Amino acid sequence: MTAVQPTRRAMLKTLVAGGFAIGFAAPLGGLAQRAAAASTTTAAVGTWVRIRSDGVVTVLVGSSEMGQGVYTSLAQLVAEELHVAWADIRVAPAPADSAYANPATGAQLTGGSMSVRGYFTALRTAGAAVRDMLRAAAAQQFGVAVSKCVARNGRVYVRGTTRSAGYGELAAAAAKLPVPTNPALAPASAWRIIGTAVPRVDVPAKTRGAAVYGIDVRVPAMKHAIVVHAPAVGGSLASVGAKPRGVAAVVKLKNAAGVVDAIAVVAATTWDAMTGLENLDVSWRAPANAAQLSSSAISAQASSLMNSGTPVVADSSGDASSAVAAATKGIDAVYEVPYLAHAAMEPLACTASVTPGHCELWAPTQAPGLAAQTAAAVCGIDPAQVTVHTTLLGGGLGRKFENDFVSQAVQISKAVAAPVKLTWPREQDFGHDQYRPMAQIRIRAGLAGGTVHGWSDRIVSPSILFQRGWIPDGAVDSQAVEGATELPYAIADRLVEYVRHPAAVPVGFWRSVGHSFNAFAVECAIDELAQLAGADPVAFRQTMLAGNPRASAVLQKVADLAGWGASVPAGRARGVALSAAFGSIVAQIAEVSSPAAGRIKVERVWCAIDCGQVVNPSIVEAQMQGGIVHGLTAALWGRMTFTNGVAGPVNFNRYRMTRMRDMPRVEVAIMASAQPPGGVGEPGVPPIAPAVANAWSRLTGTRVRSLPLQ
């Protein structure tokens, strides 16, 4: 026998021919697809479940899969109550429909670490309802009482007999029965799938390169488009020349305010569109306020607003000002964080096909319902006339909640009367983001008797909600103050104030949003107070957590995990931080060194989390690790600057990310909890920056109060 080494080209051909695409594409290719279709039928049993005649169960998931594992964890909820083997579970994205809205938010969007929290009871109930419908169908088939039928591992058995039927045999009959409204749910003591690290459903296709992201979509007769925006925030189109050779069309694009601030070049391929853009003669108008949109001016304005702006109270208890003034000693510190880009690995992309009275979208969106509304507004049709296929997201991080790229794709398809896939080049993705807001935070706090005596926290930051018209001027932006209000610590006299920064730089939701900067300020200030009191940072925090046993236990867990208080290797130091966010509590300890003057190396990170009832511990651990990576990038290098309204840097060569050589060893402890499920996608981010900053302060004796740290 002669061994044959396959070529890369041959392997790629094999993968493409037999590729698997979650959701809108068929799972198999060619003859295999037709054979599978001929041998099985599918019945929709209730809203969320589809059962094939061979017993394979497909769960429709209302949340978007962007790497956080939500396809798996939400399917586990259904599989648990339906009592089906995990190997028989498949997942598909739900269509854009209010029926699939998250019960906790009333909207079909993915954000705020709300997927498991919002769907936990609803999807378990859906699984239980389908189980009971299958039992009822079996009872009819066998002529027995429903009480004699028991569902187990994909079959319904008749107690005391040898008779049984598979779910696939019963599905068609079950689909005709009424859906139970209050089925019995399995107690936690009986769970088989919830709480276990079942394999993720999205990994196989991703591993073999067959998963379909927004940028991978192909539809018949599709054209390709590349977008370019006015360089400066608030800029607009001045003029555009004739379309270059090889270009099908040049389309002027309007933003939400109706201003033409971008153009798209449409061609037969993405490369042709990019080449055509390079040969296009286009000029732009800069906004009148361009000089005010520079990082230095924005920071200076924040400082002025800190001192003279009119604040609104976000949280108040007792008399913080008097308590701080009466303290024997204290701190008065200003912390500052910059704008941040989302920097998702997949740049923005959307495919749209506009036809008379209908629009079809293929989009990596965190908000399919909002995408449908956006497309409907552009086309002048009802949202019910828009079909949305939600693809996998190559990272969302809050950016793909926005719909600017969806609106553009629809505008282009409408203009050229053909399906069009729009791709944002990386420079456009960075340069025209909806950025994490910058912030200046002043914390004044006193010490008396070794404990915190008075706490005053003023936050100056642009308002995400005000920019969208969701709150009036003068209102508190909840996104800007989260992490500063409702502290886990018991401080009797406290005041949290907010001053809106009016900078016109577009801001949006970024993984953990306000917690990402408020945790930095709060936990660094707590550490500074501990140092001022001459107290151990962990013990100092514990004195203020006496009334919060859950947070106290998490802090103690991470201290035990790291061996806090034991000797640390020479040339290293450790820092700690605690955060309560999105229904979960996370504590982290970072160990840092300084391999060169001014350079920070994070050697190890220990993390403890109480996220309530755990659906999949492997996903929780992965999300803590991913949150730490994301937070480290922001803590050590993340910064988006502006010069006369023009953003920079605009690619990864200058927007530094955490690399393999930068990655510390991470150890995660998940604490057993009977609390309702908390979030895990975002809570891992907030504690890492202050933990590293606190460790750096202990190592060098230098307190750094602004990010990035290097």
Side-chain angles (χ1 to χ4, degrees), residues 66 68 109-115 117 342 366 396-399 436 479 482 508-516 519 579-586 588 607 609 611 619-620 622-628 630-631 678-688:
M66 47 188 164
Q68 81 279 39
L109 56 85
T110 307
S113 291
M114 283 302 302
S115 291
R117 288 194 285 168
H342 288 83
Q366 291 177 239
L397 309 172
R399 180 60 178 98
R436 197 285 305 271
Q479 306 298 295
E482 60 182 5
F509 305 96
W510 185 94
R511 191 177 186 179
S512 79
V513 204
H515 288 282
S516 69
S579 173
F582 307 98
S584 297
I585 301 173
V586 178
Q588 293 172 3
C607 174
I609 177 172
C611 58
I619 288 175
V620 175
Q623 284 303 290
M624 291 303 101
Q625 294 165 341
I628 288 166
H630 192 81
V680 299
E682 296 176 272
V685 175
I688 190 62

Side-chain angles (χ1 to χ4, degrees), residues 314-691:
D315 181 45
S316 179
S317 176
D319 188 343
S321 297
S322 297
V324 171
T328 54
K329 50 186 174 180
I331 65 168
D332 186 343
V334 175
Y335 304 87
E336 186 165 13
V337 299
Y339 289 103
L340 292 175
H342 288 83
M345 291 296 102
E346 179 191 23
L348 296 174
C350 178
T351 300
S353 178
V354 177
T355 53
H358 186 255
C359 177
E360 193 164 9
L361 298 175
W362 295 261
T365 174
Q366 291 177 239
L370 294 179
Q373 292 176 22
T374 298
V378 173
C379 296
I381 58 178
D382 190 271
Q385 297 170 284
V386 179
T387 301
V388 180
H389 306 282
T390 304
T391 68
L392 293 173
L393 282 65
L397 309 172
R399 180 60 178 98
K400 290 165 186 171
F401 166 83
E402 313 293 349
N403 282 283
D404 46 356
F405 66 109
V406 173
S407 172
Q408 291 177 344
V410 175
Q411 290 180 61
I412 300 165
S413 176
K414 184 179 178 182
V416 302
V420 175
K421 179 167 74 174
L422 169 67
T423 303
W424 283 35
R426 182 65 69 184
E427 291 76 10
Q428 298 298 310
D429 193 43
F430 270 102
H432 297 277
D433 202 346
Q434 308 281 314
Y435 304 94
R436 197 285 305 271
M438 58 75 61
Q440 279 189 15
I441 302 163
R442 182 184 183 185
I443 294 180
R444 290 173 287 179
L447 275 175
T451 61
V452 177
H453 192 72
W455 178 274
S456 177
D457 183 342
R458 179 174 291 186
I459 302 155
V460 178
S461 182
S463 171
I464 298 171
L465 303 185
F466 177 78
Q467 279 197 4
R468 284 158 173 72
W470 294 351
I471 61 172
D473 195 9
V476 174
D477 186 330
S478 60
Q479 306 298 295
V481 301
E482 60 182 5
T485 56
E486 300 181 0
L487 295 178
Y489 306 111
I491 302 174
D493 298 291
R494 64 185 185 276
L495 174 66
V496 179
E497 299 173 310
Y498 172 63
V499 180
R500 182 178 67 82
H501 196 303
V505 173
V507 292
F509 305 96
W510 185 94
R511 191 177 186 179
S512 79
V513 204
H515 288 282
S516 69
F517 50 78
N518 283 314
F520 171 68
V522 167
E523 287 299 298
C524 285
I526 293 290
D527 232 59
E528 292 195 53
L529 289 164
Q531 183 179 8
L532 194 62
D536 175 85
V538 170
F540 185 77
R541 286 171 169 81
Q542 288 287 24
T543 63
M544 295 184 288
L545 293 173
N548 191 343
R550 189 181 176 198
S552 176
V554 174
L555 181 60
Q556 190 58 52
K557 182 66 175 181
V558 80
D560 294 342
L561 193 67
W564 183 269
S567 60
V568 178
R572 299 187 184 185
R574 293 176 180 176
V576 64
L578 174 71
S579 173
F582 307 98
S584 297
I585 301 173
V586 178
Q588 293 172 3
I589 291 174
E591 182 176 287
V592 307
S593 66
S594 182
R599 184 182 168 203
I600 303 171
K601 169 68 174 173
V602 182
E603 303 284 356
R604 298 189 66 176
V605 175
W606 295 268
C607 174
I609 177 172
D610 179 347
C611 58
Q613 292 171 314
V614 174
V615 174
N616 189 311
S618 178
I619 288 175
V620 175
E621 181 179 18
Q623 284 303 290
M624 291 303 101
Q625 294 165 341
I628 288 166
V629 173
H630 192 81
L632 275 179
T633 289
L636 298 177
W637 303 288
R639 177 170 54 198
M640 180 57 69
T641 59
F642 294 86
T643 303
N644 294 327
V646 179
V650 292
N651 214 320
F652 288 114
N653 63 330
R654 292 183 57 223
Y655 198 89
R656 174 73 186 276
M657 309 295 287
T658 301
R659 302 170 183 170
M660 289 293 289
R661 67 170 182 261
D662 306 315
M663 190 60 197
R665 176 183 169 188
V666 176
E667 189 173 349
V668 178
I670 303 169
M671 301 182 66
S673 176
Q675 296 290 327
V680 299
E682 296 176 272
V685 175
I688 190 62

Side-chain angles (χ1 to χ4, degrees), residues 47 50 60-62 92-101 108 368-369 387-390:
T47 302
R50 306 290 181 265
L60 300 184
V61 173
D97 191 295
S98 59
Y100 300 98
Q108 190 182 354
T387 301
V388 180
H389 306 282
T390 304

